[in-house]
Amino acid sequence: QVQLVESGGGLVQPGGSLRLSCAASGNIFSINDGFWYRQTPGKERELVASIISGAITNYADSVKGRFTISRVNAKNTVYLQMNSLKPEDTAVYYCSARVRIGVGRIADYWGQGTQVTVSS
């Protein structure tokens, strides 16, 4: 059984920073690709950042220059460093990962979500 466990959310003032973590546990070989999404009530889930094959990163225009996605293979963890946070970044953040679970076997998993609130 593979699980993605997110942590690092919370309440922060505008202009502040948070680092979200998404740790994969269970019977996995490695994380191939990692994704961070966010969702606010009444809106569709939005892709915020992605890291493909541990090197190719992409960001939503709304977070470019402020957020950084990274992956640490040894910890099977994907991070989202969020700087210069704005009230409009308030959302539930979800991680997703494409995980290698065996030779030639890849599967997608989701975390449970973590609340990020940016407010003074």
Side-chain angles (χ1 to χ4, degrees):
Q1 184 74 13
V2 176
Q3 282 189 316
L4 298 184
V5 179
E6 297 152 353
S7 60
L11 173 64
V12 64
Q13 291 187 343
S17 297
L18 284 174
R19 188 178 77 157
L20 305 183
S21 301
C22 174
S25 63
N27 192 20
I28 69 169
F29 281 21
S30 63
I31 295 177
N32 279 14
D33 309 321
F35 308 86
W36 284 98
Y37 292 79
R38 66 186 180 188
Q39 190 170 25
T40 55
K43 292 189 177 181
E44 290 189 0
R45 195 168 291 189
E46 170 194 22
L47 178 61
V48 173
S50 61
I51 182 165
I52 306 301
S53 299
I56 302 170
T57 58
N58 281 288
Y59 300 91
D61 288 342
S62 58
V63 307
K64 278 181 182 175
R66 300 188 297 121
F67 290 11
T68 303
I69 189 171
S70 60
R71 183 190 77 179
V72 176
N73 286 342
K75 296 184 177 181
N76 284 325
T77 300
V78 177
Y79 299 96
L80 185 68
Q81 178 67 44
M82 306 186 295
N83 298 328
S84 303
L85 282 161
K86 305 175 181 180
E88 50 263 44
D89 294 318
T90 295
V92 178
Y93 283 72
Y94 298 89
C95 74
S96 174
R98 182 153 292 168
V99 176
R100 186 170 299 280
I101 58 173
V103 177
R105 296 176 61 201
I106 293 175
D108 295 334
Y109 296 91
W110 285 87
Q112 79 285 358
T114 185
Q115 176 70 45
V116 171
T117 302
V118 185
S119 175
S120 55

